[in-house]
Amino acid sequence: MAEKPTVKYEVRAQRDPINNVTIYVPAIVDRNAAKSLATVIENAIDRGLIVGVKPSAANGIATGLCEQLFKEFKDGNSVNFDGYFYGRLYLDGTVGADGRVTAANSINIRLVKGVKWALAANDFSFTNIADDKTPVVEFLISAATGAVRGRLIKGQAILVNGSTFGNDAESVSARFEYEDGATVEATVTSCGENLITVAWPDGLSGVADGTEVTLTVTRTDGDMEYVSMPKTATIVSAS
């Protein structure tokens, strides 16, 4: 079996405006240089997908096909490329006050993949470029007798268990988020590779019991910031 190509990615935080929460999405980075049309044609000939044609002739055919596709789009047509992709025209921007298209609008060609271009995640292997720098939070627990994982007792320091925190408390920060996107910054008082201690943030003292909060830990290394995936816990009062 041929070795799967490796896709390098990083995790980026985005705001979901519909649900008003922070979501974490993968983004491909360190992409390979785009293959030229000539290279694609040569590779197709090498694989036996184009036979009986010299590379120069095949290049002329491919170029002519691309020019004709562009002519179809300029004529206002959509193109169904035999199930490989669909090409359609789209308008971008907003209309004027009278509902008409203006010079501020632009018209673009968008290619939508067809069933013959379907890809699956298991066609690739994936590598997070920040695996050795990104903090991993496994669970939260209050630094108090009788504390339970995932339940944070008001007024008590918080122990954050995980990995890849480093050993410098000044380079690690913690932030809580709850309800409709409200955030509270917390102070990291001690730091080890697998455990950090976070002082109880006053901003959470007024939060109602039973409220779920999510913690993210950020590790700074030079000019780069590496943010953990969120871990949820519940606020409770001392019994």
Side-chain angles (χ1 to χ4, degrees):
M1 180 181 294
E3 184 177 350
K4 294 181 179 180
T6 299
V7 174
K8 296 180 181 180
Y9 72 96
E10 65 182 11
V11 178
R12 296 176 183 173
Q14 293 183 357
R15 197 68 189 168
D16 178 357
I18 297 176
N19 299 305
N20 198 28
V21 295
T22 300
I23 58 175
Y24 296 83
V25 299
I28 295 176
V29 296
D30 294 342
R31 296 177 185 271
N32 295 328
K35 298 285 187 179
S36 68
L37 179 60
T39 299
V40 172
I41 291 170
E42 289 173 3
N43 291 340
I45 292 174
D46 290 342
R47 293 181 60 207
L49 300 177
I50 301 175
V51 295
V53 180
K54 294 181 178 180
S56 59
N59 186 78
I61 293 171
T63 301
L65 181 59
C66 290
E67 289 291 342
Q68 185 57 38
L69 287 173
F70 186 52
K71 178 63 165 57
E72 297 294 341
F73 293 133
K74 289 186 70 174
D75 288 344
N77 298 322
S78 297
V79 173
N80 177 357
F81 205 80
D82 195 29
Y84 288 98
F85 66 85
Y86 300 86
R88 301 188 180 104
L89 302 180
Y90 287 84
L91 279 167
D92 291 333
T94 57
V95 297
D98 59 358
R100 295 180 182 277
V101 171
T102 70
N105 296 105
S106 58
I107 188 163
N108 298 304
I109 302 166
R110 296 182 191 172
L111 302 183
V112 180
K113 71 175 183 179
V115 294
K116 292 183 179 179
W117 268 1
L119 294 173
N122 59 14
D123 292 331
F124 304 86
S125 61
F126 298 92
T127 298
N128 186 335
I129 62 170
D131 272 345
D132 62 339
K133 297 288 182 67
T134 302
V136 176
V137 178
E138 295 180 358
F139 67 89
L140 316 179
I141 190 170
S142 292
T145 302
V148 178
R149 289 187 183 188
R151 296 174 68 83
L152 305 183
I153 303 171
K154 288 182 178 179
Q156 300 292 326
I158 302 164
L159 303 178
V160 181
N161 290 261
S163 60
T164 328
F165 296 129
N167 294 291
D168 182 6
E170 293 185 357
S171 67
V172 179
S173 60
R175 184 178 70 175
F176 288 93
E177 182 174 334
Y178 63 97
E179 293 180 343
D180 295 329
T183 59
V184 174
E185 301 295 331
T187 301
V188 176
T189 57
S190 67
C191 177
E193 185 67 16
N194 301 108
L195 176 69
I196 62 174
T197 303
V198 177
W200 176 261
D202 292 337
L204 293 180
S205 296
V207 174
D209 286 3
T211 299
E212 285 194 344
V213 297
T214 58
L215 171 75
T216 53
V217 175
T218 300
R219 178 180 178 181
T220 303
D221 186 348
D223 295 330
M224 298 296 296
E225 290 187 344
Y226 303 92
V227 184
S228 74
M229 295 297 292
K231 181 61 67 171
T232 301
T234 302
I235 301 294
V236 297
S237 292
S239 56

